[in-house]
Amino acid sequence: MIRVQTEDFDFATEVARLSDGNASVGGVCSFVGLVRDMAGDEEISAMTLEHYPGMTEKALAGIEAEAHARWPLQDTLIIHRYGKLLPGERIVLVAASSAHRDAAFDACRFLIDWLKTKAPFWKLEEAGGEARWVDAKSSDDTAAARWGGGGGDKAE
Amino acid sequence: MIRVQTEDFDFATEVARLSDGNASVGGVCSFVGLVRDMAGDEEISAMTLEHYPGMTEKALAGIEAEAHARWPLQDTLIIHRYGKLLPGERIVLVAASSAHRDAAFDACRFLIDWLKTKAPFWKLEEAGGEARWVDAKSSDDTAAARWGGGGGDKAE
Amino acid sequence: MKIIYFAWVREKTGTAEETFERPDGVDDVAALIQWLKGRGEGYQTAFADPAMVRVAVNQEHVGVDHRLADGDEVAFFPPVTGG
Amino acid sequence: MKIIYFAWVREKTGTAEETFERPDGVDDVAALIQWLKGRGEGYQTAFADPAMVRVAVNQEHVGVDHRLADGDEVAFFPPVTGG
């Protein structure tokens, strides 16, 4: 399941859905990304996420489908917020459930790694009264590349 | 933080503690292990976890300390239940929070991998009216070995 | 065709979205970028370093050699930074 | 010394916990296992395949060559299966 929304989500309810009523699930791995209060040595007052409606949903559904093609999963979940967020607020939740923990861990990490280089979101950071677009990190390209099969938002 | 208990835990509350009031946390990775309803092609009716009071807490505290020595973490959590559990019930929760997701993922997986070979818990499975002790899996030894530094419950 | 701009590419072009007939000779993304740069200083600044701009056609990531068809939805944006 | 048994090791020895003075010559874990096997059939069955039994002394995993001291807490158990 994927969701793109401005509102916050209920972490426990969302993650519970990946195993509720399905006792063939042996493990659920989840990751929550939060707005940090610092960027380098500068204090962040807010973060605004812009996205590309339509393409975002397509990209996330594609990433989810790829995870299911690669691992024996019971279920997966991607929730990504957009709009203005404050430090400490949740940005994203990814989760995967499987009979075995290795698949759950690998798939969960794959979801966030691919999302970070393929899903059309952009962060605008506010610090010291100024707003600036966050630069993409080469470490995210490296993280995505370890899964093979597709060069992120660069030409494929 | 570590806890060894018979009662269930509130997943959201426990995981939220790893980032609440600390906006330097960029990501929280968590893993929940559940009792599955099948072992091979046999239906499981219940699972009883025995442990070694005293040593369990020491072992878990040692695993947690090792995670903090290896990664820049804000916080970690291990909750492990014992006693009689039914299929679908939670057995264990491990979680790690960090400024960056790679440390959170690695540490979370390390916690469960080491726990599975070092913490003194034993599973008694009930299936078809019989109870039998679950055999240790060599895949768990392999998973723990990838982190180096200690051969599980075998002589070190 | 419909052209959409996001993040700082939108701010530099000063345009969020525009629709026009595909100009003669604009057969691929590279040609479209060249053509857009002729539209004014904002566009020139936005596309000054082509390595910094990503492209999606009909909501799929593509390279600058991607062939364009009438009615395509083309989006230009910086490298993504979600998650 | 205090000896504790867990899981099927406990079931086979028929003993959860016992306390006695360290016998003469029982200087390490291997010697203790040998001595315990002399205590009856249940113990012999429990320690029949030493590779299947793990040991902790004073709540730390050790090998069978670990030296024993008076007052040690020694635990025998199968490979762990938690998580």
Side-chain angles (χ1 to χ4, degrees):
Chain A
M1 167 139 75
I2 63 161
R3 293 220 309 274
V4 183
Q5 60 190 46
T6 53
E7 64 271 23
D8 195 12
F9 46 83
D10 186 88
F11 177 59
T13 305
E14 300 297 346
V15 174
R17 280 196 189 131
L18 280 87
S19 61
D20 274 358
N22 181 355
S24 64
V25 169
V28 183
C29 182
S30 64
F31 176 81
V32 174
L34 304 144
V35 180
R36 283 192 294 149
D37 56 359
M38 300 292 285
D41 55 0
E42 251 195 318
E43 207 167 320
I44 299 300
S45 56
M47 173 86 85
T48 301
L49 277 126
E50 180 174 329
H51 80 116
Y52 181 174
M55 179 169 170
T56 305
E57 290 79 1
K58 266 193 191 177
L60 296 182
I63 293 167
E64 193 176 43
E66 182 70 24
H68 281 271
R70 291 181 180 218
W71 291 278
L73 303 173
Q74 299 288 343
D75 207 355
T76 51
L77 171 67
I78 305 176
I79 302 178
H80 204 300
R81 296 174 69 188
Y82 64 95
K84 188 165 181 171
L85 301 173
L86 300 176
E89 284 202 81
R90 291 182 271 247
I91 305 171
V92 64
L93 165 64
V94 293
S97 62
S98 177
H100 301 288
R101 76 182 182 285
D102 276 347
F105 267 102
D106 282 340
C108 187
R109 196 159 184 174
F110 169 86
L111 290 174
I112 189 72
D113 282 350
W114 265 34
L115 184 159
K116 287 216 170 228
T117 60
K118 290 172 189 285
F121 287 97
W122 301 276
K123 284 181 180 140
L124 183 72
E125 222 167 53
E126 287 170 53
E130 300 215 332
R132 66 185 169 224
W133 294 98
V134 172
D135 283 332
K137 287 188 288 183
S138 63
S139 60
D140 285 334
D141 289 335
T142 310
R146 73 183 153 207
W147 302 105
D153 56 4
K154 289 186 281 296
E156 292 182 21
Chain B
M1 166 142 75
I2 63 161
R3 292 220 310 275
V4 183
Q5 61 190 45
T6 53
E7 64 272 22
D8 196 14
F9 46 83
D10 186 89
F11 177 60
T13 304
E14 300 297 346
V15 175
R17 280 196 189 130
L18 280 87
S19 61
D20 274 357
N22 181 354
S24 63
V25 170
V28 183
C29 182
S30 64
F31 176 80
V32 174
L34 304 145
V35 180
R36 282 193 294 149
D37 55 1
M38 300 292 285
D41 53 1
E42 253 197 318
E43 206 166 320
I44 299 299
S45 56
M47 173 86 86
T48 302
L49 278 127
E50 180 174 329
H51 79 116
Y52 182 173
M55 179 170 171
T56 305
E57 291 77 2
K58 265 194 192 176
L60 297 181
I63 293 167
E64 192 175 44
E66 182 70 24
H68 281 271
R70 291 182 180 219
W71 291 279
L73 303 173
Q74 299 287 342
D75 206 354
T76 52
L77 172 66
I78 305 176
I79 302 179
H80 204 300
R81 296 173 69 188
Y82 64 96
K84 186 166 181 170
L85 301 173
L86 300 176
E89 283 202 82
R90 290 182 271 247
I91 305 170
V92 63
L93 165 64
V94 294
S97 62
S98 177
H100 300 289
R101 78 181 181 286
D102 276 348
F105 267 102
D106 283 340
C108 187
R109 196 160 185 173
F110 169 86
L111 290 175
I112 188 72
D113 282 350
W114 266 34
L115 184 159
K116 287 215 170 228
T117 61
K118 289 171 191 285
F121 287 96
W122 301 277
K123 284 181 181 139
L124 183 71
E125 223 166 52
E126 286 169 52
E130 302 215 330
R132 66 185 169 224
W133 294 98
V134 173
D135 283 333
K137 287 188 290 184
S138 63
S139 60
D140 285 334
D141 289 336
T142 311
R146 73 183 154 210
W147 302 106
D153 56 5
K154 289 185 281 295
E156 293 182 22
Chain C
M1 57 200 336
K2 182 169 157 188
I3 320 284
I4 318 178
Y5 307 90
F6 290 100
W8 58 252
V9 180
R10 171 173 44 75
E11 290 179 348
K12 286 181 178 173
T13 62
T15 307
E17 188 177 320
E18 53 192 334
T19 303
F20 47 73
E21 296 289 304
R22 183 161 65 91
D24 281 347
V26 171
D27 296 326
D28 62 15
V29 170
L32 176 60
I33 291 173
Q34 210 47 48
W35 186 85
L36 288 168
K37 285 170 86 170
R39 304 190 75 209
E41 208 180 322
Y43 289 86
Q44 276 169 40
T45 317
F47 293 104
D49 182 357
M52 290 305 295
V53 180
R54 301 287 181 265
V55 195
V57 172
N58 300 327
Q59 307 188 346
E60 301 277 354
H61 296 289
V62 299
V64 291
D65 56 352
H66 183 88
R67 307 288 296 176
L68 294 174
D70 295 338
D72 275 351
E73 176 176 306
V74 183
F76 293 103
F77 45 76
V80 305
T81 57
Chain D
M1 58 200 336
K2 181 169 157 188
I3 319 283
I4 318 177
Y5 307 89
F6 291 100
W8 58 251
V9 180
R10 171 173 44 74
E11 291 179 348
K12 288 181 177 172
T13 62
T15 307
E17 190 177 319
E18 53 191 337
T19 304
F20 48 74
E21 295 289 303
R22 183 160 65 90
D24 281 346
V26 171
D27 297 326
D28 61 16
V29 170
L32 177 60
I33 290 173
Q34 210 46 50
W35 187 86
L36 288 168
K37 284 169 85 171
R39 302 192 75 209
E41 208 180 323
Y43 288 87
Q44 275 168 39
T45 317
F47 292 104
D49 183 357
M52 290 306 294
V53 180
R54 302 287 179 265
V55 194
V57 172
N58 300 325
Q59 308 188 346
E60 301 278 353
H61 296 290
V62 299
V64 291
D65 56 351
H66 184 88
R67 306 289 294 175
L68 294 175
D70 295 339
D72 275 351
E73 175 177 306
V74 183
F76 294 103
F77 44 76
V80 305
T81 56

